[in-house]
Amino acid sequence: MIYTGLTTENKLNPILFNNRYVTLGKTFFVKTSPSPVANPALIKFNDSLAESLGLSVANLNSAEGAEIFSGNRIPEGAEPLAMAYAGHQFGGFNPQLGDGRAILLGEIDVSNDGSFAMQLKGSGRTVYSRDGDGRAALGPVLREYLVSEAMAKLRVPTTRALAVVTTGEQVARERLLPGGIITRIATSFIRVGTFQYFSARGDVAAIQKLADFVIERNYPQTHEAENPYVALLKAVVERQAALIAQWMQLGFIHGVMNTDNMSIAGETIDYGPCAFMDDYDQSRVFSSIDRHGRYAYSNQPSIGLWNLTRLAEVLLPLLSEDTEVAVEVAQDVLKTYVESYQNHWLTGMRVKCGLLSHPDKLKQDKTKQDEALIEELFNIMAANNADFTLTFFHLSRLPAQTVTQAAAQASDHDSDCRNLFDNPEQFDNWVIKWRKRLAEERQNDEERQIKMQAVNPVYIPRNHQIEAAIRAAEDHNDFSVFHDLHEVLQNPYVQQQGKDRYMRPPEPDEVVTQTFCGT
Ligand code: AMP
Ligand code: MG
């Protein structure tokens, strides 16, 4: 049974929806209510996100919130719908995907901050469910909550997690699992695949309408351009280049970079089989369904371009009336991706390594030297199974003074870092070159270390920790492991007392080699 009434209490503080997606018209979605669940319980509510959205924590972090975030009660002003989209999945085009287990409740305006869309995921079947049950198992929902919120704290653009509920029902996967629903917040749930949906139907008017909508909501600065659609494509390309560079700098593997999982707003979206790597391996793949490594760590930048090329193709009719000109324009815009990605990557990596003198102030060949030095670090990390996060964590704490190899081996500071390498001498050789380069820096050790520590996290949501949180929750109804891990990840750049276990890579028997979509 679905309730639509409001209690006196929440009449004072309702969610002030101002729904715009619904104004696009009925080819863009199917109005669908969530399917009620047996026994909803609120596991986690994101107080600080709620506050930043102007929502009442008192009203929503409550039994009433459990009703709303399970889909049992539709809050006043919500207009629930399932969005239509298509998408290239592992390279093959599917003209009709759509929200098969997600429902957009509506959008809210936040003064000076724009508009945010609120979506339930795991809330029951829709017309797009195909053979799926429209539900989500609790495990993947907890994973999404942990990783998306960690990403936000790591300053990576992402959809956010507002709430998690358990449903009191089971979902049938390889075995029966407890069900969960996550409430996500995004600046847009429109994907590259949303544009492809209309392209596959030859509906150029709808593509234009959608592009106008995205320009107004997410890229208002492009409105004034001579051709706003060219400017839009350029801006989307730029955001994706910046986003994927950030993933790469943290060792994050999205796992399923299908075009339906690429947000038009440049936020990380759809945390299915994603994972952070422990020891560095550029060919690392976790997703159980990625059999050919299409979405391996090192392929992510080029897959980003592949997906953006699919977007450019569907936007062609808006780029110019003349198809040949449109193709040329699209190609010119797409060309900016590689340079932008490289710039973001190198700029970020230089800060991670403490090479802070501004590139413009350095000669071109110096920048090249920095790039080579950074590449060399990655090469020795790969050859020596060094942990990605810990390498940069320890590097951020090393003094700059040039020391001899013998002194480096004896130094306490260096030993933590060099011991991450199977053959520590390879690190010793590299660190001598690094210190030579640091001698050109103007900052003293302290200034440099502060800047490095501000971008090199102490804690990332390590796969084995997520797995432990999920096991405790699913197998023993114990959410304390989830809550602890979440708490630590709230401050990823600050070493916290008594939390060293969250820094450690997995023991051999804890290694998680595969992740699952949880569909
Ligand atoms: P994903 O790989 O999770 O991005 O999902 C790809 C497509 O499958 C989307 O259209 C989803 O809505 C749909 N889907 C995934 N899981 C389910 C499910 N349990 N029930 C219905 N549809 C689903
Ligand atoms: Mg998806």
Side-chain angles (χ1 to χ4, degrees), residues 182-218:
I182 185 165
T183 303
R184 313 194 282 190
I185 304 290
T187 60
S188 177
F189 283 107
I190 296 170
R191 302 131 192 275
V192 168
T194 320
F195 284 88
Q196 291 181 295
Y197 177 89
F198 294 102
S199 179
R201 286 157 183 78
D203 191 345
V204 176
I207 296 173
Q208 185 162 4
K209 208 171 179 186
L210 192 62
D212 289 338
F213 185 84
V214 170
I215 287 171
E216 191 197 324
R217 320 281 283 150
N218 301 97

Side-chain angles (χ1 to χ4, degrees), residues 121-350:
K121 181 172 170 185
S123 49
R125 286 181 55 79
T126 75
V127 294
Y128 305 117
S129 296
R130 294 171 289 161
D131 296 331
D133 59 3
R135 293 296 184 193
L138 178 60
V141 158
L142 295 178
R143 171 183 289 273
E144 172 152 354
Y145 197 105
L146 288 168
V147 183
S148 65
E149 283 307 296
M151 291 288 263
K153 300 296 174 179
L154 291 164
R155 301 187 286 267
V156 182
T158 177
T159 61
R160 301 292 305 271
L162 182 66
V164 165
V165 297
T166 48
T167 59
E169 296 176 1
Q170 290 190 309
V171 294
R173 297 294 182 258
E174 296 84 38
R175 58 190 175 99
L176 285 180
L177 294 168
I181 298 174
I182 185 165
T183 303
R184 313 194 282 190
I185 304 290
T187 60
S188 177
F189 283 107
I190 296 170
R191 302 131 192 275
V192 168
T194 320
F195 284 88
Q196 291 181 295
Y197 177 89
F198 294 102
S199 179
R201 286 157 183 78
D203 191 345
V204 176
I207 296 173
Q208 185 162 4
K209 208 171 179 186
L210 192 62
D212 289 338
F213 185 84
V214 170
I215 287 171
E216 191 197 324
R217 320 281 283 150
N218 301 97
Y219 297 92
Q221 71 284 8
T222 64
H223 193 62
E224 303 305 323
E226 194 180 317
N227 180 332
Y229 308 113
V230 176
L232 171 65
L233 180 61
K234 230 181 240 168
V236 174
V237 164
E238 168 56 26
R239 280 198 200 171
Q240 282 297 336
L243 177 70
I244 296 174
Q246 280 192 287
W247 292 357
M248 300 302 280
Q249 285 161 12
L250 290 164
F252 176 77
I253 302 163
H254 181 282
V256 61
M257 288 176 72
N258 295 333
T259 55
D260 53 301
N261 292 335
M262 183 184 261
S263 154
I264 203 71
E267 293 172 344
T268 313
I269 188 171
D270 277 12
Y271 291 87
C274 65
F276 283 78
M277 64 169 97
D278 296 299
D279 59 299
Y280 178 69
D281 171 2
Q282 61 162 2
S283 62
R284 187 62 48 83
V285 176
F286 286 99
S287 169
S288 63
I289 53 172
D290 191 0
R291 286 185 199 94
H292 306 291
R294 178 181 170 88
Y295 301 136
Y297 171 77
S298 61
N299 284 351
Q300 296 186 121
S302 54
I303 286 292
L305 180 57
W306 195 91
N307 288 350
L308 290 164
T309 307
R310 304 288 81 75
L311 176 65
E313 282 164 3
V314 304
L315 291 180
L316 282 179
L318 309 185
L319 303 184
S320 170
E321 279 167 19
D322 180 328
T323 309
E324 262 178 48
V325 175
V327 169
E328 238 171 73
V329 169
Q331 282 172 343
D332 283 349
V333 174
L334 290 168
K335 269 188 210 142
T336 64
Y337 174 85
V338 174
E339 198 188 340
S340 169
Y341 170 78
Q342 293 283 11
N343 273 339
H344 284 292
W345 184 83
L346 188 56
T347 306
M349 283 312 308
R350 291 175 90 244

